[in-house]
Structure formats: C-alpha cells, structure tokens
Amino acid sequence: MFKDVKLLEKFQVHPDEVNGDALTIPLALMEEGDEAYILKIRCAGNISSRLIGLGIHPGVKIKVVRKGRGSSPMIIDADYTRIGLGRSICRDILVTADAGLALSPNLR
Amino acid sequence: MKKDITIAIVGAPNTGKTTVFNRISGADGRVANFPGVTVNVKEGRVRFGDKVLSIVDLPGTYGLASYSEDEILTRRFLLEREPDAVLDIVDAEHLERNLYLTVQLLEMGVPVVVCLNMIDRADDAGISIEADEIARLLDVKVIPMIARRGKGIDLLKKALEEESGIPFVKPLVIDYGTQINAEIDRIADVLRRDESHSASRCARWTATKLLERDEDTEASLSAHAALDELMDVLAEARKKLASVFDEEYEIELAQRRYKYIEELAERVMKRSTGGKRTITDKLDRFLTRSRFGIPFFLAVMWLLFSVVFSLASPINDAIELLLGYSSSLLAGRLGGGMIESLAIDGVIGGVGAVIIFVPSIFLLFAGIAILEDSGYLSRAAFIMERAMSKLGLPGKAFVPLILGFGCNVPAIMATRVLENRRDRILAILVIPLISCSAKLPVYVLLIGAFSPTEYAGTILFGVYMLSGISALLITGLLRSSVLKGPSAPMILELPPYNTPTLRGILMHAWGNARHYLRKAFTFIFVGSILLWFAVNYPVTVGQSEIDRNIVETRAKYGEIIASADASEAELLFSEMETEIEDVGRGARQANIEGSFAGRIGRAIEPALRPLGFDWRVGVGLISGVLAKEIVVSTLGVIFNVEGIEGEDASLQEALKKSTLPDGSRAFLPLSAISLILFVMLYIPCIATLAVQRSELKNLKWFLVAMIYPTALAYIVSLVVYQVGSMLGFGT
C-alpha cells in the first residue's frame, strides 16, 4: 500500500512511528482505492473531536475514494460514511495496514 | 394543571431532524441535507391533549464537544433550559456513529427518546436493527421511524404525551478504564460540592469534558464554589493521565466510548454482506472529480436560473393582468383624490410590484432545495474547496455564499458552520455582495426594459455570476489584507445521494416564499405608504389651483374660439386641450419635485449624475435600504405618480419613456447597467444589517460592513458609466 518511504520525512513522521513491516504513514500519502486502519490522530483537539464524532477514530478501517491533485481535499469512506477531508488534516492522521496495531493496546 | 413541556430535537446533520420537527410541530421548516444548514434554532408550539408542547429544533451536531458554535449552542440549551425530553434523531444506516451522540446525551443524564430514523434506508443497505434491544440495554425509549413518510410519528407523539417531565435522569456510566475512571470520580466529587451549580447534576459527564480540555465547559465553571480546588485536581489529573497515555488520553476517552458503542451495536445490529452504495459510488466517480465536477456544477447553476426565469415569466404575466384589473376596478370608485391615489398607487402599485416576483422566488428555492436534499450541495462544496481555499475560504463557505443568492439573512446565519472566526467575519462581509432574490425584481425590471426578451435569461445569469465573482474578488482582497490567516481545514460529510421528496421541496420553497412575502407585506406595505406620503406631500400646487388654472385657460380660449370661424376654432380647441394637459403635467411635476422624496432626491442628484442616475433613481436607492425589493415599488410609485398620459403602461414602459426636463431620455441602457451594478453592490437591506450586527458582535466590523459596499458600488458604477459614455454608449 505504501511505496515511497522517503516521503515520510516530508511529513515529519517520527521514525518510532514507523513500525517495521507494518508501515505507518500519513493518510495523505494513500492513493485512490487504498485501504488502511487509522492508528493515530494528531490534529488539534477540536478537530480531533469533530473527526471522532464523525466516526473517524483509531482502529477504524478507511478507504480512499478520491484524491485530487495538489492540496485538494480527499474523500474517504470510514465505516459506511463518506467524508471529505482537507489535505492538511489527512497529513495529521496516521494509518497502518495492520489491523492489530491500529487498536490501542489498552483495549486489547 | 396544564403544563408547558419543552422538547429539544438533537441529532447529527442529515439524520432527518428537521423532518421530524416538521412532522410533530406541523410548522414548515426545511430539510437540510448539507451539514449545518439548519443553524438557527426553530421553535414550534403544539397542543397534545391537555399539554402545550414547545418543540425546539437544535442545530445538527455530531457530538457535544465545543468544536463549532452549533455544538456549544446545543449543549448550553440542554444544560440551561433543561428540556423535559430530548429527541435524539439517529440515522439507522449509520447507527454506530450516531450512537456516539446518544451515549454522550445519556452520560449527561438528560431524558432521551431515541428516534431510530430512516430504517428503510438501513434495510436497503442490508442493516437490521433490534430497536427493543437498544431500549433495554440503554434504558431509553426507542422509536423506529421513517419520518420522511410519516411512519412512526404517531408512536413518537404518544411517547411524548407520556413524558413525565423530569429534566434529569440517572446518567449512563461508561467504563473508561481504571485510571481514567479514578480521575473522573475525583473531579466529579469536587464538582458535586457546589449543589447550586448545574454541573453538580451531571458531574461525571462534566468531568469527562474537563479532561477532554473542553474550553466552553471550563468557562461555564467560573462561578463554581470550589473552583480553586477543582482546577488543582483537574491539572493533577491531566498531568497524570498524560504520562500514562502518552499525551493522548482525550482520544482514549473517545476510544472507550466507541468500544462501548461497538459492543452495543454487536448485540443489536446485523449487517448482511455488502450494503449498496452503488449509485452514490457511480455518481461520485464523476461529480467529485474536478475536471468534470466543476463544469457540471456551473451548468447546474445556469440551468437553475434559466428555468426559474422561463417558468416564472408566464405566471408573472398572469399576475400583472390581475393587478391591472383590480386597479381598473378601483379607479373612479373612491372619488378620485388622495384616497384613491393611496389605494391604487400606494397599495396596489407598491405591494403588487412585490407579489409579482413570488413565482421566481418560489422556483429558486425549490431549486436550492433539490440541490440540498439530493445530497449534491455538499459535493459542490467539496469540488469548490480547492478553488475556494485559494481565495482563503473553506469550500464549506461556498454553501452560505450560495444561500446568499436566495436571501442574505439566512446565508449570514449559516456562516455559523464555519469554525474559524476570521472565516466567519470574511463570509459575513462578502455575502451581501451576492445578489439575493430580493434584488431579482430590480434586475428583471431593468433587464426586461432594455434588452430583447430572448437574451433576458442569459443576461440575468451573467448578472448573478458577476455578483458571485465580485464577492470572490473582495474575499481575496480582504483575506490578503485585513483578515490574514489560515482558514479551517475541511471536514465535510458527503451523505448518500437521495431522491428529494416533493413534499420537502415544496415546503422549502413555500417556507421561503412565505418569509419573503411576510417581509414584503410588513416592510413594503409600510414602506409604500410612507413613500406615497413622501412623494405626495407637501403639496406645492393644490388641486384648487390646478382647477382655477384650467378654468382660466378655458375662459381665455372660450372668447377667442367664439369669435373665430369653424376651421380655426377646431385648431384652437385642440391647442386649448394641450394647454390644459400641460397645466396638469406641470402641476404633477412641481408637486413631485417639491415633495419630501423629491427634495432628498434633488439634494443627492449632483452625486448621482456622474453614475447616470437622476433624482428619481436616487429616491429608489434610498428606499432600497429598507429592503431591496422596495427599489422596484418606489420606482413604480414615482414613475406612475409622474404619469405617462394615454397609456396603461407597465413600469418598464414608463422607465423607457421617462424624460429629463430638457426632453432627453432619462433612462438609457448604459444607465440601466450602471444601476444594476449599483444595486448589486451597495449597502445591504436593514434585515441583513441586523443579522450582520448580531453575528459579527463587533462594532468595528459592523461599520465596515455598512460602509464598504456603498463605496464599492459608487466607484464601480462611476467607472462603468463614465467609460461607457466616453465610448459612446451613453446615447
């Protein structure tokens, strides 16, 4: 699902957050049709709470429906809900291909 | 004992909240398919048995955080007004996400009745839900319904009748895990110490909000008796949890809530494989791709305005006939004089000029309702995001801007969906540049008078496009100067496409037409009477003086005619008739020039002349501050009062034929263009100014909102008229 590891630097993803086989990348790097699980939301508190209200929270499986050019927003499907998200928010949401990793260890 | 019961309706956007409100209150409102269109709180009163129910439709919210003003408003209402029942509208197709709000309401301890709405769509998506099981597990009433078709409404009404009216019930307790639970308990204990404070009744819930760093909740506790101790405990708890959960315990709280919901959903909901989203998927493949979506969107807007114009015009013709007929019925029956003039010119002429545009407004809002209810409007917001963000506004702001085409007043209120204060100020300042439907009458009048009918629709579309473009240009200008700063990033739900119901469209269209009519009848009726007075008083040349002049003229000619031969007499007779007509026309001219309106118009004429307007247009523009549609009725009164002899002419004809004192035409196509631009841009109407004042909450910005549009209008009209004249279009 994720091809260009170098881009991680551009998105300032901390090396600790890249977990070996199950790569962790910002949502903004996913392509149309890609699927992944949300691992972490690093947006400002008020934006996080709105996302959570919409059903975008760690552990949820998402699919990228539309990704336009440049800084245009993305459309993602999360739990049967279709949502348009600004690219800047997509940069602050970390996703992973590993469902197990996505769920908080405190809940397992 | 009769008792008033308050019922609040809450729910996420797109759950059919407003439909439920309309169904139980019988009041007409609007179904909003775009998140946040229903920003104003609607209230309806209805009698059930021996109780009077006050039903309040709160803004759509996804949760009870303080992310937007809508959420804050909803939460404050629930805490401060203590409704007797809270109807939580839940979209059955998105049960889990919607339960996120339900669970928070239950944690708050408000008396919830869950309306499980749109169960038919859930069915279509392959979702089956056991409502009784939800009711048992959460200990609430759950009513399955299809509000759109009125199913389940009777059950709901019955449930409301049985409502006991206890504002707070035992709150739901969610397990947040040992560490967080302990901190919540500690904070809640301190909160309960001040029993007079409302937070003591939902202490646990308030504690979770405090842990989530909710600023509004924190502010609401400023009067708490144990504030100092509370803040100490809170700071300690935050510090402790931050170290345990790696700074992210707020998300942990949400996670636990979702965990609770997931477990609940597992027991009450079954999802058969692959729900269908095929139509939405197929449409979105095209409509959300900018290469196709943007031209499509513009085509839709063009279609909307063309259809409105071509469908409305035959209806308008019929209304015009009817108005002419009623005027002719009255003519001569009220004894001539002032009373008759008031009835025909003041009342029928003025108010009639407004009624005639109801068909256009009805059709325009029907069109907007179709866009909204079909789910397309949020796609439009999505594809506009990139273009809008270049101008410095979120794509979301496009919708208030679009609503501005209908009426600036709800549009300005709809800016509440914008979280960023700067975005809001910006939107509130530029919305009045977007031509509202009340300006439509002015445009239709001027375009109709000076352009061939077959181009009228296209020119009207051009005028509306131009108003949109001017708004965008000013947005860019303000954003790069006085209102610098990043705008809020987009978070926008794209609901599944849906066939709008006829009932919903008609309700929306009728509601707005009625609003317009109400405005028309209060504002315009009074405005027309005042104007009629301003135009007719003070009287310079009285009727007795006119009569005396006529008698004198007759007497003068009588002597000559008596002594002339037959052929000469005929010539002299027609000469006399002309002179008598001149007496009447001269008197009317003198009267209108000497009237209050004339004096004001004359006083500002030197400033308006360079724009191509004479004093009569000046009077029309001044009256337009009361409400834009009054510009038309004022021109109607002024031009009819001046009177074009021998013609039962409509105002358009009157405009075309009106002359200046030197005999040249007063109104040419170039001055019509200049006037269209001026009306497009100048100071908004009183109602718009009123909401700008209340939404901006800042005198400085309000003054800016009042002054800059007029300055802009003056400069634009001046440049257009002067350059146009130089190029030879002024003749």
Side-chain angles (χ1 to χ4, degrees), chain B residues 372-406:
Chain B
E372 252 179 55
D373 296 355
S374 64
Y376 178 67
L377 209 53
S378 55
R379 269 73 183 181
F382 175 82
I383 55 165
M384 295 312 290
E385 171 78 12
R386 192 151 165 241
M388 291 292 287
S389 66
K390 284 197 177 124
L391 288 155
L393 273 178
K396 223 185 208 180
F398 199 74
V399 172
L401 294 184
I402 287 182
L403 287 179
F405 284 116

Side-chain angles (χ1 to χ4, degrees), chain B residues 99-116:
Chain B
L99 284 177
Y100 190 70
L101 178 63
T102 312
V103 162
Q104 289 189 64
L105 291 170
L106 292 170
E107 280 188 276
M108 221 170 146
V110 293
V112 174
V113 176
V114 173
C115 298
L116 197 57

Side-chain angles (χ1 to χ4, degrees), chain B residues 364-570:
Chain B
L364 185 74
F365 273 103
I368 290 175
I370 292 171
L371 295 185
E372 252 179 55
D373 296 355
S374 64
Y376 178 67
L377 209 53
S378 55
R379 269 73 183 181
F382 175 82
I383 55 165
M384 295 312 290
E385 171 78 12
R386 192 151 165 241
M388 291 292 287
S389 66
K390 284 197 177 124
L391 288 155
L393 273 178
K396 223 185 208 180
F398 199 74
V399 172
L401 294 184
I402 287 182
L403 287 179
F405 284 116
C407 179
N408 287 177
V409 174
I412 285 167
M413 298 191 62
T415 60
R416 288 182 191 176
V417 296
L418 306 176
E419 291 83 16
N420 187 310
R421 167 112 182 116
R422 269 206 196 93
D423 292 351
R424 280 201 69 196
I425 293 175
L426 192 52
I428 292 171
L429 288 181
V430 296
I431 281 172
L433 299 181
I434 298 194
S435 291
C436 67
S437 55
K439 289 181 185 174
L440 184 64
V442 189
Y443 298 152
V444 171
L445 173 80
L446 294 169
I447 292 170
F450 295 99
S451 85
T453 323
E454 60 264 35
Y455 299 129
T458 311
I459 294 175
L460 184 64
F461 173 69
V463 167
Y464 271 88
M465 281 296 286
L466 193 63
S467 85
I469 291 167
S470 65
L472 296 183
L473 286 177
I474 295 298
T475 304
L477 198 71
L478 289 174
R479 181 56 102 186
S480 60
S481 55
V482 284
L483 284 164
K484 273 189 191 150
S487 61
M490 169 185 229
I491 304 177
L492 175 73
E493 190 189 351
L494 308 175
Y497 289 99
N498 185 25
T499 318
T501 60
L502 189 62
R503 189 190 150 97
I505 296 166
L506 292 180
M507 260 187 164
H508 190 160
W510 169 235
N512 283 289
R514 201 176 67 165
H515 175 77
Y516 169 83
L517 271 178
R518 250 189 221 147
K519 243 175 89 186
F521 272 115
T522 48
F523 271 76
I524 302 208
F525 188 80
V526 174
S528 286
I529 305 277
L530 282 178
L531 270 160
W532 174 82
F533 184 80
V535 164
N536 285 284
Y537 292 92
V539 177
T540 312
V541 188
Q543 193 61 42
S544 56
E545 197 179 328
I546 297 171
D547 291 345
R548 202 173 56 235
N549 282 340
I550 292 174
V551 169
E552 275 171 15
T553 311
R554 283 232 166 87
K556 189 177 80 187
Y557 275 91
E559 281 171 30
I560 316 172
I561 290 173
S563 62
D565 61 39
S567 64
E568 237 181 6
E570 205 169 305

Side-chain angles (χ1 to χ4, degrees), chain B residues 46-157:
Chain B
V46 64
R47 186 174 285 277
F48 278 177
D50 62 343
K51 291 176 197 160
V52 176
L53 265 58
S54 161
I55 298 159
V56 181
D57 188 16
L58 291 168
T61 68
Y62 294 101
L64 292 174
S66 48
Y67 182 57
S68 66
E69 291 184 33
D70 288 349
E71 283 173 332
I72 295 177
L73 193 139
T74 297
R75 198 172 60 185
R76 286 198 186 149
F77 186 93
L78 295 179
L79 287 175
E80 288 161 20
R81 288 275 298 270
E82 302 184 0
D84 302 285
V86 177
L87 291 192
D88 174 27
I89 317 297
V90 166
D91 170 6
E93 196 187 343
H94 301 115
L95 182 68
E96 282 157 289
R97 195 187 82 202
N98 278 262
L99 284 177
Y100 190 70
L101 178 63
T102 312
V103 162
Q104 289 189 64
L105 291 170
L106 292 170
E107 280 188 276
M108 221 170 146
V110 293
V112 174
V113 176
V114 173
C115 298
L116 197 57
N117 195 19
M118 301 195 274
I119 44 170
D120 53 336
R121 267 201 237 164
D123 263 359
D124 289 347
I127 298 164
S128 66
I129 299 164
E130 289 175 58
D132 295 345
E133 194 63 7
I134 301 178
R136 196 180 64 81
L137 291 168
L138 290 179
D139 192 22
V140 286
K141 280 182 193 152
V142 179
I143 297 156
M145 59 168 63
I146 309 169
R148 204 156 21 102
R149 293 201 221 121
K151 278 192 186 165
I153 296 295
D154 288 342
L155 266 174
L156 173 61
K157 283 185 178 172

